[in-house]
Amino acid sequence: MNLKGRSFLTLKDFTSDEIEYLLNLAAELKEKKKKGIMGNSLKGKNIALIFEKPSTRTRCAFTIGCIDEGGHPEYLSKDDIQLGHKESVEDTARVLGRMFDGIEFRGYQQETVEKLAKYSGVPVWNGLTDAYHPTQILADFLTLKEQFGKLKGLKLVYVGDGRNNMANSLMIGSTKMGIHFTILAPKSLWPGQELIKTCEDYAKESGSIIEISDCLDAVEGADAVYTDVWCSMGEEDLAAERIAILKPYQVNDDLLSKTKKDNTIFLHCLPAVKGKEVTEDVFERFADVVFDEAENRMHTIKAVMVATLGNQ
Ligand code: CP
Ligand code: NVA
């Protein structure tokens, strides 16, 4: 599999084989790191990390993943650079492309990360936009593989804001990989029709089933229940409204009992607002797997950089 020179902007651009390849590479890199074997695949590579929004996991995963492979990461917050203030995305992209070998971008518009890729001429990786969070999905799927030994045929139920970056990306990733995917959300927070249609096409090919429901019983049979914050970054002023409509969709013991299974796991991309989208009790019971998922951000992001930019 050769992904050299490719950008990682949305999972729509990747086949199931390519996603599988990245997951296997991440597992391999994880095993090596646990044994203390470090790589040098990014030796001599300089990587720009642009952040318009804050981050703990994604920033640290890119930083450590890059250094582990012998590369140099440079953190550029929105307040440090001219992007969006004094300089266009196109010009910033052309400057960074002359100096850096790869660029990570986290911010608001998907269009920005796409422009960076178009104009920089180097691989660009999406570290989260309002629309998608594709590197998170790799970590989620690596965690599912570690827990269940497979992806195909699992049932993943996402509960909460069904039209945010996580819901969108999980729907794309799941339908590509043959995971049965349910969104459990109030109708006003269902994903866009166009994306559902695209994912239905992926699902036809992979054999997965998509269900969008506002009825809590749709959680039945879930192998994994996933949730995310009710207000994504940039939507903080919608908090009161979201809490009111999403309260019935909290992941708590009652909801988990509706799976009618005793081996369902709970996942969360983090950061979590305990007491809102998930109870403290449920969160703590599944803390080991949730923090495996957080750790897997690093192994999977490292795999993306190695695969698209690495020397080997
Ligand atoms: N899950 C995730 O992307 O976390 P950060 O916002 O801390 O990067
Ligand atoms: N939907 C969340 C994901 C955080 C990782 C947000 O965009 O804030």
Side-chain angles (χ1 to χ4, degrees), residues 30 141-150 292-293 296:
K30 180 172 182 175
F141 287 3
L142 181 59
T143 311
L144 285 174
K145 281 186 88 167
E146 289 170 347
Q147 293 292 320
F148 298 102
K150 62 169 189 178
D292 277 351
E293 186 186 2
N296 284 340

Side-chain angles (χ1 to χ4, degrees), residues 36 49 140-141 301:
L49 307 178
D140 302 337
F141 287 3
I301 280 175

Side-chain angles (χ1 to χ4, degrees), residues 4-7 89-103 113-124 308-309:
K4 296 288 177 249
R6 294 267 298 273
S7 285
V89 179
E90 290 87 338
D91 289 358
T92 302
R94 284 180 285 187
V95 172
L96 296 182
R98 300 285 182 115
M99 301 190 191
F100 288 93
D101 302 288
I103 300 168
V113 80
E114 281 167 8
K115 273 191 191 162
L116 283 170
K118 184 170 173 196
Y119 288 93
S120 68
V122 298
V124 171
T308 55
L309 185 61

Side-chain angles (χ1 to χ4, degrees), residues 155-159 181-185 211-222 225 255 258-259:
K155 177 169 175 171
L156 172 62
V157 179
Y158 173 91
V159 190
F181 184 64
T182 299
I183 287 187
L184 183 44
E211 189 186 356
I212 320 267
S213 175
D214 59 356
C215 168
L216 299 186
D217 291 334
V219 82
E220 188 174 340
V225 172
L255 183 84
K258 290 182 189 296
T259 64

